[in-house]
Amino acid sequence: MEDKLQFQKRLEKLMEEAKDAGDCMSQERIEEYFREDSLSGEQLAMIKEYLLARGITVTGCRGDEALAEGKKKKLSPDEEAYLKKYRNELSLIRKEEEGERARLIREVIMGDALAKGRLAELYLETVAEIAEKIAGPDIFLGDAVAEGNVNLLLAVERLDTEADADAFIKEEIRRGILELNEEQSEQKRRDEMMVNKVERLEAAMKELTEDEDTKFSIEELSFYLEMTEEEIRDILNLTGEDK
């Protein structure tokens, strides 16, 4: 019991740390925090789900990234139409001249605003290519391209050295799309968790209520399901069973 209480206290401290960091915690930090406990992968996953259920965003969980790399997204008809229109619009942009990109990078570093706009233009096709390779299956390709374009502009603004400039810009584009993947996956996990909790609560209410005259308490449900009273009240409000 003492070990359990100590673990709960450490979990509460981790929650406080995440709150101080803007409701965010990295997967690496979670693993580091509980390294001495030698927790299994399943136990770490449960801690992560605990944090997610309490509104904490867990970052750095990119298990699908390796699968996505080098494998083009299977496009829907709407996505194919979007990509065709996007590339038709790109065809209207002036073609890149020999040596132009290297020259633009130098001018961007010197603060030339026109060079920034032109350099970004030359990477618009790159954004589409990266999006096709790594956009998640549940993300509309246009949203992935839009996110990549935002990060492209930010990368151009932050460019301060010629060394590895091309690699830096491409990595920033890629990072933006991967973060969108992660946000989508996290939202999907949250939705699935909520559905699971609703189902568990409904099953518990049936089990604890043998007839219509039987009353149950929030405290009973909390103990029975190992959920906080606040979580149970939120679900009851959501399902209209709070009356």
Side-chain angles (χ1 to χ4, degrees):
M1 176 63 72
E2 184 177 352
D3 289 342
K4 186 175 180 181
L5 289 173
Q6 288 179 348
F7 181 81
Q8 288 176 338
K9 288 179 180 178
R10 294 183 66 197
L11 198 56
E12 288 173 4
K13 287 184 178 179
L14 185 67
M15 276 286 296
E16 291 174 5
E17 182 178 324
K19 290 289 184 184
D20 290 340
D23 292 333
C24 186
M25 175 65 62
S26 70
Q27 178 76 11
E28 292 78 9
R29 176 55 181 152
I30 295 172
E31 293 172 2
E32 178 187 351
Y33 197 85
F34 292 99
R35 184 163 290 143
E36 294 180 1
D37 297 278
S38 301
L39 300 181
S40 66
E42 183 178 354
Q43 288 171 317
L44 287 170
M46 289 175 66
I47 292 172
K48 177 185 163 188
E49 295 298 341
Y50 174 88
L51 294 174
L52 289 171
R54 284 152 183 78
I56 303 300
T57 299
V58 180
T59 63
C61 313
R62 294 177 178 170
D64 296 332
E65 181 178 336
L67 295 174
E69 286 290 2
K71 180 178 171 183
K72 283 194 174 183
K73 175 182 173 71
K74 185 176 180 180
L75 303 183
S76 68
D78 286 344
E79 288 175 318
E80 288 178 353
Y82 167 83
L83 194 58
K84 182 178 180 180
K85 181 181 178 182
Y86 180 85
R87 286 188 164 134
N88 282 340
E89 291 173 352
L90 293 188
S91 68
L92 302 176
I93 296 174
R94 177 167 55 86
K95 300 296 182 183
E96 181 177 358
E97 300 172 3
E98 184 177 353
E100 183 181 12
R101 196 169 301 215
R103 174 178 59 79
L104 287 169
I105 288 172
R106 289 194 296 272
E107 292 174 354
V108 165
I109 293 170
M110 294 172 63
D112 189 322
L114 290 177
K116 290 179 182 179
R118 175 59 178 162
L119 183 62
E121 281 185 345
L122 298 184
Y123 277 95
L124 291 175
E125 172 59 30
T126 301
V127 172
E129 291 171 357
I130 293 175
E132 279 190 276
K133 287 182 180 180
I134 66 173
D138 298 322
I139 295 175
F140 181 66
L141 183 64
D143 294 336
V145 170
E147 193 68 25
N149 283 337
V150 169
N151 270 45
L152 164 61
L153 295 175
L154 292 174
V156 170
E157 283 292 335
R158 291 171 52 200
L159 203 59
D160 59 5
T161 178
E162 291 183 50
D164 299 321
D166 178 72
F168 168 74
I169 292 172
K170 289 177 180 176
E171 179 57 29
E172 287 300 294
I173 294 168
R174 181 174 172 275
R175 184 174 63 82
I177 297 171
L178 286 174
E179 286 179 355
L180 182 64
N181 286 351
E182 190 171 305
E183 289 172 9
Q184 177 69 23
S185 297
E186 194 156 301
Q187 184 59 52
K188 188 175 181 180
R189 285 193 294 269
R190 289 177 187 273
D191 293 343
E192 289 172 351
M193 284 171 56
M194 179 56 70
V195 170
N196 178 260
K197 286 181 178 181
V198 170
E199 290 175 347
R200 286 173 59 202
L201 182 56
E202 288 177 344
M205 288 168 64
K206 288 179 182 178
E207 198 168 324
L208 292 174
T209 308
E210 297 179 355
D211 58 62
E212 293 184 359
D213 295 327
T214 303
K215 300 293 182 181
F216 56 86
S217 69
I218 297 293
E219 290 77 11
E220 286 176 310
L221 291 172
S222 177
F223 176 80
Y224 188 79
L225 293 171
E226 295 186 347
M227 292 166 56
T228 68
E229 293 179 21
E230 182 181 359
E231 284 180 298
I232 291 174
R233 287 193 181 92
D234 287 343
I235 295 173
L236 290 174
N237 289 332
L238 182 67
T239 58
E241 298 286 348
D242 57 326
K243 298 177 181 179

